[in-house]
Amino acid sequence: VLGWGIEFGSVGCGVGMAAAKIRKAGGAAADELEEQVGQALCDLEGSGSEFKADLRELTIASAKSVDVAGGKKAIVIYVPFRLLQRYHRVQTRLVRELEKKFSGRHVIIVGQRNIVPREKTGGRLHSQKRPRSRTLTKVHDGILEDLVYPTEIVGKRLRFKTDGSRLTTVILDPKDQQNAEYKVETFQSVYKKLTGKDVVFEFPVTAE
C-alpha cells in the first residue's frame, strides 16, 4: 500500500521497471504520484488485460493532483503528445481501471503541449514562424478537448461578466450525458487549474 492508500499487485513490469513508463523532460526524477501512475500502468500491462498490447508502448510525461469540488482530488496525467492518439484508442477502459486503482479519484489524460510565445514587434523570438498549434488559444482548446474525451464538444458560448472577466460555457454532446455528467465539476476545476480560465460544461436540453 503506497502513500495514497493504493494497493498494487505484484504483476506487471515490477516496481523497478515502473520508471520505464515515465519520460519526464530533461530526465527529471519522478515524484511519488508519478511513480504510482507508472506502477499502475505496469500492473495493468502485466495483468493479462485485454488491452495489454496497447499499453506496452505507452508512457507518461508527468502527473499532478488537483483539488476538485467536494474536497476531492483528481489526477491529471500528462502524456507525450505523439502518443495521445494511442491513448485515445484505450482511454475509456484505461481510465476506468486507473480510477479503480486510485480509490475512485477521477483520472484525466491530457496531451503535453508547449506554448510558443507571441513574436515580438520589430523582431522575432524564434527563427521560424510560430505554428498555430502552439499558440495560447490553440493549446487551451486542445486541453479542453482532452479533458472531455471521448465526449465531443458541440458548441461554445462566451459571456463577459460585470468585472470584465470572461466565462466560457462549453456544450457537450448529449449522447454522452449519462457517462460524463458526473465529471463536469472535475472538468471545470482541472481546466481552471491548468489554464487559469473559468469554464462551465453543460449538456443541451433535448425535447422529450
Side-chain angles (χ1 to χ4, degrees):
V1 180
L2 298 179
W4 280 48
I6 309 156
E7 295 189 15
F8 293 105
S10 59
V11 297
C13 33
V15 174
M17 293 295 290
K21 289 293 186 186
I22 307 167
R23 293 286 187 271
K24 291 180 67 71
D31 62 23
E32 182 184 14
L33 176 59
E34 290 162 347
E35 289 176 353
Q36 292 172 1
V37 173
Q39 186 61 48
L41 290 174
C42 279
D43 285 357
L44 289 171
E45 182 182 324
S47 66
S49 61
E50 58 185 9
F51 55 117
K52 174 180 178 178
D54 295 303
L55 296 178
R56 189 169 294 127
E57 303 301 322
L58 298 184
T59 60
I60 69 168
S62 63
K64 66 167 60 178
S65 175
V66 175
D67 294 327
V68 297
K72 299 180 181 179
K73 293 182 181 293
I75 299 171
V76 179
I77 301 174
Y78 285 95
V79 305
F81 186 76
R82 63 183 176 80
L83 296 179
L84 187 59
Q85 291 303 315
R86 291 190 183 186
Y87 269 95
H88 283 175
R89 289 203 293 264
V90 297
Q91 185 158 324
T92 299
R93 290 175 293 170
L94 178 59
V95 167
R96 182 170 60 245
E97 294 301 322
L98 288 175
E99 289 181 345
K100 289 178 185 177
K101 284 185 172 288
F102 286 92
S103 304
R105 294 176 179 86
H106 290 168
V107 172
I108 304 291
I109 294 175
V110 176
Q112 190 175 45
R113 298 172 173 85
N114 295 320
I115 298 171
V116 176
R118 186 189 299 272
E119 297 167 0
K120 287 184 177 179
T121 304
R124 287 190 172 181
L125 291 172
H126 309 280
S127 58
Q128 296 181 339
K129 184 175 177 61
R130 178 176 64 161
R132 291 187 68 245
S133 62
R134 299 291 187 88
T135 65
L136 179 69
T137 298
K138 285 296 183 181
V139 168
H140 286 183
D141 284 348
I143 291 173
L144 198 59
E145 292 174 359
D146 290 352
L147 280 180
V148 302
Y149 185 88
T151 301
E152 292 185 2
I153 296 171
V154 297
K156 293 181 185 177
R157 293 195 305 268
L158 180 62
R159 180 168 63 88
F160 289 89
K161 299 181 181 179
T162 55
D163 62 2
S165 62
R166 299 189 297 180
L167 175 66
T168 301
T169 299
V170 177
I171 313 300
L172 301 177
D173 192 335
K175 71 179 177 61
D176 288 333
Q177 184 168 355
Q178 185 174 356
N179 295 325
E181 190 169 29
Y182 74 101
K183 269 190 174 180
V184 294
E185 290 185 337
T186 294
F187 295 156
Q188 290 166 197
S189 298
V190 171
Y191 190 73
K192 175 72 172 181
K193 177 69 174 180
L194 300 187
T195 68
K197 295 180 177 178
D198 290 317
V199 67
V200 173
F201 295 89
E202 294 181 357
F203 292 90
V205 177
T206 55
E208 295 292 339

